[in-house]
Amino acid sequence: MAKDLDELLDEVESKFCRPDPLRLGMGEPPRGYGGTHGSDRNRAEAKEKLRSTETLKKEDDLDSLINEIFEEPNFDKKNFKLKSKSSGNTSVRASIQGLRKSCSPVYLGGSTIPFGIGTNTSQRACDHLRCIACDFWIVSYNDCMWDKSCDYLFFRNNMPEFHKLKTKLVKKKEARAYACQCSWRTVEELTDLQTDHRLRWVCGKH
C-alpha cells in the first residue's frame, strides 16, 4: 500500500511539480501536461508571446521613425549647400561687410595726411570719426582752420550745415579743421587721438 502511494506521488510530481520547460529553454511542454492549470499557463504564455511580438513591432516602428528623422536633415543640408553655392557672391559680400575694420591707433592729420585706416605701419587720418559725447559724425575741412571766436553754442546751433559753419572757417594751407556738435580742433600734422584726452572721438569703423 505504501509502495503504491509512493509511486502515485512520484507520478503526480513528475507531471505537475517539475520546472517549466519553457523557462529552462527546452521548448514546448508535453501534450499530456493538461488540466485547468496547464491551459491557464498556455494562455499566459500566448499572451506573453503576443506582447513580446507587439513590443518588437513597436520597437521596429520606433527605429524606422528615428531613421526618418535623422535622414531628413541630410536632405536639407544638401539643399542648403546647393542654394548657398548659387547665392555665394551675396553671402561673401555680406561676410565682408560684417568684418569692418577700425583704426588702431586713431589719427588726426593736416590736409597733407591722407585719409584711411590708421595703423602703426600705415599712418593715415581717420575719416570715419564719431563723437560718443554728442553722437555726431565728425566733419573735416581741408586747408582750413577754425576762427578763434568759435564757441560751444556756435557748433551746437550750426552742426552739420556747412553754409553756416563756413562763417567761422579761415583759410590755412596744410591745416585741417575738425568738428562735431560739442568739440572742434584745427590740426596741422599727424596726431594720435589718444594724446588729446578732452576729445570723445572714436573710429566709427570703415
Side-chain angles (χ1 to χ4, degrees):
M1 179 78 176
K3 192 178 180 181
D4 291 339
L5 188 60
D6 285 339
E7 285 177 3
L8 186 62
L9 284 170
D10 287 340
E11 193 178 343
V12 169
E13 190 178 351
S14 67
K15 283 189 178 180
F16 297 104
C17 299
R18 67 180 175 181
D20 188 354
L22 281 177
R23 290 187 183 173
L24 294 173
M26 293 174 66
E28 292 182 5
R31 288 178 185 176
Y33 186 55
T36 313
H37 184 68
S39 62
D40 287 346
R41 190 181 288 267
N42 286 341
R43 256 187 253 115
E45 285 168 2
K47 280 182 184 176
E48 196 175 333
K49 280 182 184 176
L50 187 63
R51 234 182 260 123
S52 63
T53 308
E54 285 176 358
T55 308
L56 286 170
K57 196 174 181 183
K58 282 178 184 174
E59 284 176 359
D60 289 342
D61 291 343
L62 190 61
D63 286 341
S64 63
L65 279 170
I66 290 167
N67 288 335
E68 282 177 24
I69 289 165
F70 278 110
E71 280 169 13
E72 281 174 11
N74 293 336
F75 291 109
D76 291 341
K77 281 177 186 174
K78 285 176 186 174
N79 293 337
F80 177 76
K81 280 178 185 174
L82 289 169
K83 284 178 187 173
S84 64
K85 280 178 186 174
S86 62
S87 58
N89 294 335
T90 312
S91 59
V92 168
R93 253 184 253 118
S95 63
I96 290 167
Q97 286 174 359
L99 297 169
R100 296 171 69 189
K101 293 183 180 179
S102 298
C103 294
S104 180
V106 183
Y107 291 113
L108 304 178
S111 61
T112 57
I113 307 297
F115 285 121
I117 300 170
T119 64
N120 288 320
T121 53
S122 177
Q123 297 179 331
R124 295 173 179 271
C126 181
D127 57 341
H128 279 71
L129 291 165
R130 193 174 187 89
C131 179
I132 58 174
C134 64
D135 199 32
F136 264 69
W137 288 101
I138 281 75
V139 295
S140 62
Y141 304 104
N142 286 334
D143 297 320
C144 293
M145 62 178 287
W146 294 114
D147 188 78
K148 290 179 182 179
S149 63
C150 287
D151 58 13
Y152 171 79
L153 284 174
F154 171 75
F155 292 101
R156 176 81 180 175
N157 295 328
N158 298 313
M159 271 292 290
E161 298 172 37
F162 175 69
H163 69 279
K164 291 181 180 179
L165 293 172
K166 69 179 181 180
T167 58
K168 297 281 185 180
L169 283 170
V170 180
K171 287 280 184 185
K172 187 176 184 183
K173 199 175 179 182
E174 296 185 3
R176 186 176 282 151
Y178 291 88
C180 63
Q181 198 180 35
C182 63
S183 302
W184 63 98
R185 291 288 183 279
T186 298
V187 182
E188 295 182 55
E189 56 189 21
L190 190 74
T191 307
D192 190 335
L193 190 59
Q194 287 185 339
T195 59
D196 193 335
H197 299 292
R198 288 175 296 175
L199 287 176
R200 304 290 302 279
W201 297 351
V202 296
C203 175
K205 293 189 179 181
H206 296 260

